[in-house]
Amino acid sequence: YSMSTKDLEFLLYPENIPIISKYNLLLKPIQKLVPLPSRKPHLDPVFIIGVPRSGTTFVYQLISYYLDVGYINNFIARFWEVPIIGIYLSHKVARISPSKDFSSRLGVTNNLGGVHEFGYFWRRFFPNNQTDYANTIGRKYRQTLRKEIEGMTSAFGKRIVFKNLTCGLRIIPLCKVFP
């Protein structure tokens, strides 16, 4: 089965987020059953951080297109609760390739293969209304975050790169997760 681009484009529209959120919740138990490829050597993630309007999205686009790395595209981002399923669907079902379009508007790209900041995923661990993250992410959350990112790395079969500007505010807890 191959999905057409038109079938997949509904994922790009913000008004569909409530529907997609329900899909995420339904898929959560299934993600635990997804077999991961055999483990590669431990590969810590790469985080691109910087201030707004400093070119970080462009750097993320270049890295994702020219280097052999895993990255979160606009399709995968719609599976923030079940990113491993999103990765499999993106690569095995939809066969989405890295985007050659290096345009963006305020960090937002406009096609399924374009890079994404994965904000809903990060908000699961770092709520938006908190500014002091150094002491707010407990051991359980650190373990869950590490396990999920290791699962994504395993699903990609290569190092994963993230770009989310607010990760700059989360350097201390991220260093606790990935020492």
Side-chain angles (χ1 to χ4, degrees), residues 8-51:
L8 297 172
E9 284 180 346
F10 86 96
L11 293 170
L12 292 175
Y13 301 114
E15 63 268 19
N16 293 324
I17 292 296
I19 297 166
I20 296 166
S21 183
K22 289 178 184 172
Y23 292 156
N24 272 269
L25 293 176
L26 290 171
L27 291 170
K28 260 185 130 170
I30 296 169
Q31 178 166 280
K32 294 176 183 171
L33 304 174
V34 174
L36 294 174
S38 59
R39 282 202 166 250
K40 293 218 169 205
H42 177 70
L43 299 171
D44 281 334
V46 173
F47 293 94
I48 299 170
I49 58 173
V51 297

Side-chain angles (χ1 to χ4, degrees), residues 28-90:
K28 260 185 130 170
I30 296 169
Q31 178 166 280
K32 294 176 183 171
L33 304 174
V34 174
L36 294 174
S38 59
R39 282 202 166 250
K40 293 218 169 205
H42 177 70
L43 299 171
D44 281 334
V46 173
F47 293 94
I48 299 170
I49 58 173
V51 297
R53 311 289 302 146
S54 64
T56 54
T57 300
F58 183 58
V59 169
Y60 191 25
Q61 290 169 317
L62 290 172
I63 289 172
S64 69
Y65 186 74
Y66 287 107
L67 299 180
D68 186 25
V69 295
Y71 74 98
I72 302 303
N73 63 32
N74 286 317
F75 181 91
I76 297 167
R78 297 309 186 241
F79 297 89
W80 62 87
E81 292 278 357
V82 287
I84 295 166
I85 290 175
I87 292 166
Y88 279 119
L89 291 173
S90 177

Side-chain angles (χ1 to χ4, degrees), residues 83-139:
I84 295 166
I85 290 175
I87 292 166
Y88 279 119
L89 291 173
S90 177
H91 292 90
K92 305 290 187 204
V93 177
R95 292 184 165 66
I96 296 172
S97 302
S99 177
K100 295 177 186 177
D101 178 6
F102 296 139
S103 63
S104 69
R105 179 152 173 73
L106 300 174
V108 177
T109 59
N110 58 8
N111 58 53
L112 291 171
V115 298
H116 195 281
E117 290 197 11
F118 215 22
Y120 287 131
F121 172 83
W122 292 110
R123 278 185 222 129
R124 289 174 44 211
F125 301 95
F126 306 104
N128 272 349
N129 61 352
Q130 290 181 309
T131 55
D132 176 21
Y133 295 110
N135 299 313
T136 58
I137 184 167
R139 181 179 171 168

